[in-house]
Amino acid sequence: MKLVVVSAGLSVPSSTRLLADRLTTAVRGRTPVDVEVIELRELAVEIAQNLTNGFPGRRLAAALEAVTEADGLIAVTPVFSASYSGLFKSFFDVLDRDALAGKPVLIAATGGTARHSLVLDHALRPLFSYLKAVVVPTGVYAASEDWGAEGLPERIERAAGELAALLQGLSATARPTKGDDLTVVPFTEQLAALRPTG
C-alpha cells in the first residue's frame, strides 16, 4: 500500500514536518506501507503558476499524481490566521476534485498556541469532506508547548491506528477504479467500524 504525506511547513527544520514524520512512523508501526513525502514549500512556485496558467510543472504534476494514486494520505499544515496555510489550500485547489474520493485521510496541524486547535474541525475536516475523503475521527494538533508533554504521543498513536485500520480494510477489498460509483460512508458508520468489538 502507498501512503503519501503532504507537509506544508515553511521552515527548516519544521515542526509541521516533525509531526508528519511522527504520524508516519506510527502508521508504519501498524501496517506495511510505502511512504512518499511531499514538501509543499519546494513546490510553491509551481503551485502559483498552476493557479494562474492551469498547467502543473513537472514536479507538481508528479506530486499530484502521487496523491491521486495513494491508498491513504497524511496532511499536515501550520496554522496561519486561525486556518490552514494558503500554500496548503492552494495545493488542494489544483488537485483534481475527485482525486481524494473515498481515500482515507489523517489530518494534523501545528501552531504556536493551543487556542488554534479548532482548526482541525473548523477548517481541515470540512475541506477534506468537501473533497469526498474519508477523514479519520482523530485529528492531531500540536502547539509549541505540546512537544515533549503528555497527550501528544497518545493522540498520534490513536490517529495512526485509525488510519491503519482504514488502510487495512481497503487492502481487504477491491480498490475503486476511475469509473466506479464512490459512495460516501456516513461519519457515524465510519466511527462504528473503528470501535473494537467484544
Side-chain angles (χ1 to χ4, degrees), residues 97-105 126-135 182-185:
R97 65 179 186 155
D98 293 322
L100 297 183
K103 199 179 302 281
V105 176
L127 170 65
F128 287 102
S129 293
Y130 173 78
L131 295 171
K132 305 185 194 101
V134 179
V135 184
L182 296 172
T183 304
V184 177
V185 178

Side-chain angles (χ1 to χ4, degrees), residues 42-66:
E42 298 173 358
L43 302 172
V45 173
E46 289 190 29
I47 291 170
Q49 290 172 338
N50 190 4
L51 287 169
T52 57
N53 65 25
F55 298 100
R58 180 182 53 81
R59 291 193 309 156
L60 177 58
L64 296 172
E65 182 180 2

Side-chain angles (χ1 to χ4, degrees), residues 22-72:
R22 290 198 180 177
L23 289 164
T24 302
T25 299
V27 172
R28 271 185 161 155
R30 288 170 165 75
T31 190
V33 287
D34 294 321
V35 176
E36 180 174 346
V37 178
I38 298 171
E39 286 276 10
L40 295 187
R41 65 182 172 76
E42 298 173 358
L43 302 172
V45 173
E46 289 190 29
I47 291 170
Q49 290 172 338
N50 190 4
L51 287 169
T52 57
N53 65 25
F55 298 100
R58 180 182 53 81
R59 291 193 309 156
L60 177 58
L64 296 172
E65 182 180 2
V67 170
T68 301
E69 294 180 354
D71 295 296

Side-chain angles (χ1 to χ4, degrees), residues 17 21 100 102 110 126 167:
R17 176 60 189 269
D21 289 344
L100 297 183
T110 58
L167 288 171

